Amino acid sequence: MNPQPPVAASSEQPSPAATDGHPALLDRHSAVLSRIAEAARACDRKPEAIDLLAVSKTFDAEAVLTLATHGQRRFAESYLQEALPKMATCHDQWAERPSRRSAGDRLEWHFIGPIQSNKTRPIAEHFDWVESIEREKIAQRLSEQRPAQLAPLQVCIQVNVSGEASKSGCSPDEAITLARAVSTMPRLQLRGVMAIPAPSDDVAVQREQFAAVREVFGKILAEGIAIDTLSMGMSSDLEAAICEGATLVRVGSALFGARTPG
Ligand SMILES: *Cc1c(COP(=O)(O)O)cnc(C)c1O
């Protein structure tokens, strides 16, 4: 039996000891938040200017809910089939958790995977953000299919700065053209750019690629399109991304552990 009274639902960051189970997950969450803060300070940025997006693909609803009790609210998924039932479970169970601060305290979901045109409707209906916009036709469908009673879908354009034909994302030039088109779509709100550069162990190479993404961000701003999100940096390169201006880092394995392939 636990003689301790329950922790007040309003507490900003419940201490790890107050949540049962998953101590390793909570430790890793704290460690990633520390890495972000440390990286921000190292390049004279404010830690609050960078937000953590927890990439929960391949991990279950319980892992998401555990991080939610620890203050995490923003989650990302890449595979629709896996995401939809997980999101429904999280939605139902989060409503019951004492850590939820109010009725309006909800989890925010980002879609970050490749989008087939026959899958746009469920994405438009269930997600808050889509970061992997790379074609006008897909953006158009998402705008048309976004339900009227929901807020506009928040979107980022995915940019490929590595020039690899096999990688997702549009070229920097295409990104500017696409940004202009997306910014006029009624049910989409363009928030910024997202990129997954080719992995490299060389920090100089990482920074060069992230700088190229930031340049695209700057060019869209220079078009007079108000955007605020530079989504770049993952488990292995978030420090370099933060030094190049990332406002949102997408972290999976450093939080949840290694993903089993397949
Ligand atoms: C899986 C994934 C991530 C997280 O990668 P980690 O290396 O596990 O942190 C980030 N962004 C996208 C688009 C992903 O698909």
Side-chain angles (χ1 to χ4, degrees), residues 53-57 59 76-79 111-114 131-132 158 194-196 231 233-238 249-259:
L53 182 61
V55 181
S56 47
K57 66 182 180 206
F59 294 93
E77 293 285 333
S78 298
Y79 313 110
F111 191 80
I112 59 173
E131 298 195 16
S132 42
Q158 185 172 351
M194 183 273 262
I196 317 169
S231 174
M234 318 202 295
S235 293
S236 59
D237 55 13
L238 66 89
V249 291
R250 307 178 311 271
V251 179
S253 50
L255 281 174
F256 295 103
R259 287 182 293 276

Side-chain angles (χ1 to χ4, degrees), residues 19-42:
T19 31
D20 55 359
H22 305 88
L25 183 48
L26 298 183
D27 285 350
R28 286 194 296 256
H29 187 235
S30 300
V32 169
L33 292 174
S34 300
R35 271 178 72 188
I36 292 170
E38 193 58 40
R41 278 191 288 271

Side-chain angles (χ1 to χ4, degrees), residues 191-208:
R191 296 296 298 270
V193 295
M194 183 273 262
I196 317 169
S200 168
D201 294 333
D202 184 340
V203 175
V205 174
Q206 292 173 5
R207 287 198 54 168
E208 202 177 311

Side-chain angles (χ1 to χ4, degrees), residues 60-261:
D60 62 11
E62 199 45 48
V64 169
L65 291 162
T66 298
L67 283 195
T69 64
H70 205 225
Q72 181 67 34
R73 291 291 180 274
R74 312 180 86 183
F75 295 90
E77 293 285 333
S78 298
Y79 313 110
L80 192 61
Q81 240 177 313
E82 179 206 345
L84 293 178
K86 186 191 304 185
M87 290 160 72
T89 302
C90 288
H91 179 267
D92 292 348
Q93 297 203 7
W94 181 237
E96 310 287 317
R97 301 271 163 139
S99 330
R100 194 173 70 140
R101 294 167 193 144
S102 67
D105 180 8
R106 51 187 300 282
L107 308 184
E108 178 185 282
W109 293 96
H110 293 223
F111 191 80
I112 59 173
I115 306 172
Q116 293 160 345
S117 51
N118 62 346
K119 299 286 169 57
T120 51
R121 187 176 295 280
I123 294 174
E125 289 175 349
H126 293 281
F127 284 82
D128 301 292
W129 284 61
V130 175
E131 298 195 16
S132 42
I133 303 276
E134 50 177 325
R135 284 193 287 148
E136 185 171 338
K137 182 178 154 228
I138 296 286
Q140 195 71 57
R141 288 176 69 96
L142 289 169
S143 183
E144 285 162 12
Q145 293 168 344
R146 180 65 167 175
Q149 74 276 15
L150 298 181
L153 192 59
Q154 310 295 298
V155 303
C156 291
I157 289 169
Q158 185 172 351
V159 189
N160 176 354
V161 291
S162 317
E164 299 159 278
S166 61
K167 285 259 169 157
S168 303
C170 47
S171 74
D173 286 345
E174 288 165 349
I176 318 284
T177 311
L178 184 52
R180 279 195 216 107
V182 169
S183 69
T184 68
M185 294 183 188
R187 300 294 294 142
L188 302 187
Q189 182 169 4
L190 182 63
R191 296 296 298 270
V193 295
M194 183 273 262
I196 317 169
S200 168
D201 294 333
D202 184 340
V203 175
V205 174
Q206 292 173 5
R207 287 198 54 168
E208 202 177 311
Q209 299 195 86
F210 290 131
V213 185
R214 188 187 55 197
E215 196 177 305
V216 175
F217 179 86
K219 283 184 177 164
I220 295 173
L221 272 180
E223 295 273 319
I225 301 169
I227 55 173
D228 60 9
T229 302
L230 192 42
S231 174
M232 60 188 192
M234 318 202 295
S235 293
S236 59
D237 55 13
L238 66 89
E239 282 82 4
I242 287 170
C243 282
E244 294 299 340
T247 63
L248 190 60
V249 291
R250 307 178 311 271
V251 179
S253 50
L255 281 174
F256 295 103
R259 287 182 293 276
T260 39

